Amino acid sequence: MRKPREEMIAETRAKLIAAGRQAFGTVGYAAASMDDFTAGAGLTRGALYHHFGDKKGLLQAVIQQIDAEMTLRLNRISAAAPDRWQGFVAECVAYIEMALEPEIQRIMFRDGPAVLGDVSQWPTNNGCIAALSRSIEQLKADGVMGDIDTEAAARLINGASSHAALWIAKSDDPEETSRRAVKGFRTLLEGLRVKG
């Protein structure tokens, strides 16, 4: 029995994303050959062009998948914290520390910005700003965070965490850079907390 067309399309797309992710995560975007990952997925270059347009389009799809996975992980970290403030801090810090993970470091914080440009302009960034804004509004309502413009705070926190992750990814000593970045970031966040 033949699979429905939509299922075949979804399977082809998933195979290409998995093959692209493997290649981008191990050898990097520049060294990844379209022929290698189409052959690895048992597909043709035509399938890649049909679904993603080109290698850059495939990288965008891989980044969207990794970003969604990172968001799920961050949500779990936040939900496991004893209170909303600790969850907020833990989520932000975990995002920065994810830059130590080889696949995330290479794809999200090295090759992604090099190929797709400034991370603050990526389509997924608006979702990050919205999520941060919701958290900040809740923290302000709880009386934990001081009176600050919500959007400004969300954009500043997002920028600081993104640039900390980029700094770690490009560092000659990512572990030490992460330690310094997290310490500084925690200090910045504490400045937003109402002292009581």
Side-chain angles (χ1 to χ4, degrees):
M1 182 175 207
R2 224 175 139 175
K3 294 179 185 179
R5 179 169 165 68
E6 296 80 26
E7 189 177 325
M8 290 172 55
I9 289 170
E11 282 181 10
T12 298
R13 191 172 165 77
K15 284 180 185 178
L16 286 166
I17 290 172
R21 185 172 177 167
Q22 172 65 26
F24 299 147
T26 54
V27 299
Y29 180 84
S33 158
M34 290 193 299
D35 289 332
D36 289 345
F37 49 71
T38 53
L43 299 164
T44 64
R45 249 188 200 219
L48 173 72
Y49 291 125
H50 174 74
H51 289 278
F52 303 104
D54 57 13
K55 185 170 139 179
K56 183 176 175 180
L58 179 59
L59 177 64
Q60 288 173 314
V62 168
I63 285 174
Q64 286 174 345
Q65 183 182 68
I66 294 171
D67 186 69
E69 292 169 4
M70 289 170 68
T71 299
L72 287 174
R73 287 173 57 192
L74 294 169
N75 289 340
R76 283 194 299 267
I77 288 166
S78 180
D83 63 47
R84 200 183 318 269
W85 173 257
Q86 289 178 44
F88 181 73
V89 173
E91 182 177 340
C92 291
V93 167
Y95 174 85
I96 294 169
E97 291 174 337
M98 285 180 183
L100 291 170
E101 298 174 28
E103 180 187 58
I104 290 173
Q105 184 180 100
R106 181 184 291 263
I107 296 172
M108 300 296 288
F109 299 118
R110 285 188 188 162
D111 289 348
V115 176
L116 303 176
D118 180 6
V119 296
S120 71
Q121 301 303 310
W122 291 4
T124 55
N125 196 55
N126 289 335
C128 295
I129 299 296
L132 281 168
S133 293
R134 285 189 300 275
S135 294
I136 290 166
E137 281 297 321
Q138 291 170 337
L139 290 166
K140 286 168 51 176
D142 291 348
V144 177
M145 189 178 278
D147 184 29
I148 186 170
D149 180 282
T150 298
E151 182 181 2
R155 290 186 180 279
L156 291 169
I157 292 167
N158 177 265
S161 61
S162 294
H163 283 281
L166 291 167
W167 179 34
I168 293 163
K170 295 176 182 178
S171 173
D172 290 334
D173 187 352
E175 292 285 341
E176 173 60 16
T177 303
S178 177
R179 187 191 63 70
R180 292 173 55 207
V182 166
K183 182 178 180 186
F185 191 79
R186 284 182 184 278
T187 302
L188 285 174
L189 289 182
E190 277 300 318
L192 297 173
R193 189 174 182 191
V194 171
K195 309 298 182 248

